[in-house]
Amino acid sequence: MNERTGAGGRPTASAASSAAEATTTAPQGSTLPRPPRIPVEETICMQGFGWESHKNGHWYQVVESKIPELLEAEITHLWLPPPSQSVAPQGYLPGQLYNLSSKYGSKEELIALNRKLLEAGIRPVCDIVINHRCADYQDENGVWNRYGDDIDHAGKPIDWAQWAITSDDPVFRGTGNKDSGDDYEAAPDLDHKNKELRDGLVDWLKWLNRDIGFEGWRFDFVRGYAAKYLCEYIERSIGTDNTFHVGEDFLELQWNDGNLDYNQDNARQKLADYAREAKHATMFDFVTKGILQEAVKNCQYDRLRDHEGKAPGLLGWWPEKACTFVDNHDTGSTQQHWPFPNEQVMVGYAYILTHPGVPCLFWEHHFDWGLAEEINHLVALRKKAGIRADSQLEILAADHDMYVARCGGLTVKLGPRFDMPEDLVPSKEEGWEVAASGKDWAVWAKSQ
């Protein structure tokens, strides 16, 4: 790809390469198969890439080749990387939104992958990066804040100018409204208060759904714009009838002298507040992740029951809105910003797959770490037991070295303590049998 290099070494797609893609015609949405929608509460998602996946150059083809294994994993949704041309190869600094030639593959390869996933009954989820957008041109002062629109497409043009950038962006000198969320330093923050901009984004989202085959959205960096706009984007694109969406707010937890506080109500209140206003999206439960991995790492399983006897993350307050996970491309993978203890990853999966909430698995754990068989077995147990995002959870014990909980037809025990109190051991007389186990975890299933 030919590139222009902007301020700070930021390359943007050339008009020549964009024009080449414009000669291709996307198939009409009616030609793409659509599996029946399922209740969001029954969703089992997998993140279908890691931080280095773009280096393959044809990642979409890699994923397509793994569809038989994805079917064995019994997932309902697969979260795919940001599809648009991007300054950064991972996709999180998008420029030309309609240009789907990325480091992960071509537009044709993406459509082919989505078609195969849909035929298999797996719903593709698109990573939507709309808090910010990298510009194509400089203004008269040399600031990168003018946009091109080099791909022919229906709907509103996206050749925006300074008006599309927030006026309080400290670097890119926009003339729009003040930001409705946090600033993102690496790229111009978009003014979501502007209806013309929102209309352009909605047209793009509709196109991704109708012509490219996506069935849900994963919204990146939602702290950057108000939840009411996320709500609008869902309502005006795919709609709200049994569609899975999730927002990412990699929020800070409360620490004290290097130790994670037991009470993280402020953080989970922030997630709950955003979810309430967004209405139709779940939220990645970073609170549950942080508390769970601290409990596992330091043998502090008493962290897993809050002062009200509930699970300590968003999971305990609003499980239908809690998208639980062990690691992702930021926290784990090659970035390792906040990783779960490597040798105890299966303790994490034993927790999220036996509890309420919407579990999100990680590609690298499944395919690179050799954990597919163990994770698949837990998913199968979850489904057989009928556990959903809104299932009732009963926490039976939460001591420093042992945690025991029951949800649906499963009982899970975490922690190194070997001798469980007799009254907590699921009895064979009542139909309980050990169904899965590993280092510091065990799961019992009740015969139906």
Side-chain angles (χ1 to χ4, degrees):
M1 177 183 290
N2 295 320
E3 296 177 335
R4 295 187 295 270
T5 301
R10 293 190 302 274
T12 57
S14 69
S17 63
S18 298
E21 172 149 344
T23 63
T24 65
T25 301
Q28 294 301 308
S30 59
T31 68
L32 290 168
R34 302 287 175 170
R37 291 181 174 179
I38 63 171
V40 174
E41 293 81 8
E42 296 177 6
T43 297
I44 296 178
C45 188
M46 178 187 286
Q47 179 175 3
F49 62 99
W51 188 247
E52 306 283 344
S53 297
H54 65 90
K55 291 183 176 180
N56 175 277
H58 296 280
W59 184 249
Y60 298 141
Q61 293 182 352
V62 172
V63 176
E64 184 176 337
S65 73
K66 298 295 186 181
I67 288 178
E69 288 96 325
L70 295 174
L71 285 171
E72 291 179 4
E74 296 189 69
I75 61 170
T76 61
H77 293 71
L78 185 70
W79 158 24
L80 294 175
S84 299
Q85 169 270 329
S86 169
V87 171
Q90 295 84 4
Y92 291 98
L93 292 176
Q96 293 283 340
L97 298 180
Y98 283 93
N99 182 349
L100 300 191
S101 179
S102 75
K103 297 298 184 182
Y104 297 100
S106 68
K107 180 174 73 174
E108 291 76 17
E109 290 171 338
L110 175 57
I111 293 172
L113 167 60
N114 282 350
R115 179 183 297 277
K116 292 294 186 181
L117 287 170
L118 291 165
E119 288 174 350
I122 299 171
R123 300 147 189 88
V125 175
C126 186
D127 203 324
I128 300 298
V129 185
I130 52 175
N131 168 73
H132 49 273
R133 179 187 170 197
C134 291
D136 297 285
Y137 309 107
Q138 295 167 295
D139 66 9
E140 60 278 7
N141 297 313
V143 179
W144 291 84
N145 56 21
R146 295 175 55 215
Y147 296 96
D149 190 12
D150 297 339
I151 303 294
D152 289 338
H153 60 86
K156 289 190 174 295
I158 56 171
D159 53 348
W160 304 328
Q162 292 94 327
W163 59 264
I165 300 170
T166 55
S167 59
D168 50 354
D169 188 304
V171 176
F172 297 98
R173 302 182 187 178
T175 61
N177 295 288
K178 289 187 176 181
D179 206 334
S180 62
D182 292 353
D183 177 62
Y184 186 83
E185 296 180 358
D189 279 33
L190 296 179
D191 176 16
H192 291 267
K193 296 178 182 178
N194 187 296
K195 189 176 186 302
E196 182 175 349
L197 181 141
R198 297 201 308 276
D199 288 346
L201 292 176
V202 166
D203 286 342
W204 176 62
L205 292 170
K206 287 180 176 179
W207 176 73
L208 288 174
N209 168 233
R210 180 188 64 243
D211 291 350
I212 310 303
F214 285 107
E215 287 280 291
W217 312 132
R218 179 267 185 188
F219 290 95
D220 181 67
F221 198 74
V222 298
R223 69 168 67 182
Y225 52 97
K228 64 181 180 181
Y229 301 123
L230 187 148
C231 175
E232 178 182 340
Y233 295 136
I234 293 173
E235 291 179 347
R236 294 180 60 197
S237 59
I238 289 181
T240 63
D241 183 20
N242 289 331
T243 57
F244 169 69
H245 313 282
V246 58
E248 180 239 12
D249 183 356
F250 195 159
L251 77 178
E252 294 289 333
L253 300 187
Q254 184 67 40
W255 296 79
N256 187 5
D257 293 331
N259 298 309
L260 185 70
D261 281 357
Y262 271 64
N263 188 322
Q264 298 293 333
D265 285 357
N266 288 340
R268 60 174 169 173
Q269 186 66 60
K270 185 176 181 181
L271 292 178
D273 289 346
Y274 200 98
R276 184 171 294 106
E277 191 171 1
K279 294 183 180 179
H280 316 296
T282 63
M283 298 291 290
F284 281 119
D285 194 351
F286 281 92
V287 181
T288 288
K289 172 187 166 51
I291 293 174
L292 177 60
Q293 68 185 36
E294 203 71 10
V296 170
K297 180 168 60 177
N298 298 317
C299 195
Q300 297 173 335
Y301 289 91
D302 53 326
R303 289 182 176 274
L304 299 181
R305 180 166 56 188
D306 72 4
H307 56 280
E308 296 179 336
K310 300 178 180 179
L314 180 62
L315 178 65
W317 281 0
W318 203 354
E320 302 94 321
K321 295 296 185 180
C323 188
T324 56
F325 66 105
V326 176
D327 263 325
N328 62 27
H329 63 293
D330 285 325
T331 64
S333 196
T334 55
Q335 293 202 91
Q336 296 287 297
H337 287 322
W338 200 31
F340 205 92
N342 287 353
E343 67 281 2
Q344 293 171 298
V345 159
M346 282 308 304
V347 180
Y349 280 110
Y351 183 90
I352 70 171
L353 289 172
T354 60
H355 280 57
V358 177
C360 185
L361 319 178
F362 188 34
W363 179 280
E364 292 183 2
H365 292 156
H366 197 92
F367 290 102
D368 301 340
W369 290 36
L371 299 178
E373 185 176 350
E374 288 181 276
I375 295 173
N376 289 356
H377 185 45
L378 287 173
V379 170
L381 289 173
R382 176 187 183 86
K383 288 195 168 187
K384 185 176 180 181
I387 297 177
R388 298 167 23 122
D390 56 356
S391 293
Q392 187 70 32
L393 174 68
E394 182 183 6
I395 299 175
L396 303 176
D399 300 328
H400 76 279
D401 59 351
M402 183 188 71
Y403 169 83
V404 183
R406 184 165 294 159
C407 185
L410 297 181
T411 298
V412 61
K413 176 260 180 186
L414 309 179
R417 187 194 301 184
F418 182 77
D419 295 323
M420 293 174 61
E422 188 173 334
D423 60 322
L424 292 180
V425 178
S427 68
K428 290 185 178 180
E429 291 76 13
E430 295 178 357
W432 292 96
E433 291 187 357
V434 176
S437 63
K439 184 180 183 300
D440 292 346
W441 66 273
V443 175
W444 291 259
K446 192 171 187 179
S447 57
Q448 297 179 353

